[in-house]
Amino acid sequence: MTVRAVIRHADWTIGPDRTPGASGPVYELECTSCGEASDASEERTLPEDWALRHTGRNTGHRSYRAITTSFVRVEPAPGNPLHEKAN
C-alpha cells in the first residue's frame, strides 16, 4: 500500500449522512422479558405495532428496549485541502 498524502492537521465535520441513497434512522424494539425483537424498519410504527401484538400474545411482556440506529458521515471542512475535492 502506498501513501499518496499525509494531512497532519485538518478540520473535519461530522453529521447525519445526507448523501443520495443514504438510509435514515432505523428503528427496532426488543422485549426485555424474552429477548424477541421486531424487524428493523425505517418507519417507527412497524416496530411499535409488533410490540403491541407481542404484548397481546404475552400479557406479562410490557417492557421493551428501543434501538435506533443513525448513520453519520465525516466530511472535510472548509480549509481542509480535501474540501474542494469533495464538492
Side-chain angles (χ1 to χ4, degrees):
M1 181 167 86
T2 61
V3 177
R4 291 182 173 199
V6 175
I7 301 172
R8 295 186 189 278
H9 301 283
D11 291 330
W12 296 82
T13 62
I14 188 168
D17 188 350
R18 293 191 173 103
T19 56
S23 176
V26 176
Y27 305 99
E28 184 178 357
L29 289 174
E30 181 181 280
C31 177
T32 59
S33 297
C34 70
E36 275 191 60
S38 68
D39 289 334
S41 173
E42 290 186 23
E43 296 179 42
R44 289 178 67 139
T45 56
L46 296 178
E48 290 171 355
D49 289 345
W50 173 86
L52 292 168
R53 287 191 311 274
H54 184 76
T55 296
R57 289 188 306 271
N58 307 279
T59 57
H61 297 204
R62 299 181 184 187
S63 181
Y64 294 85
R65 178 179 296 109
I67 303 163
T68 304
T69 303
S70 299
F71 300 91
V72 297
R73 186 170 178 86
V74 174
E75 292 287 350
N80 182 319
L82 297 175
H83 180 70
E84 296 301 319
K85 294 179 184 177
N87 294 324

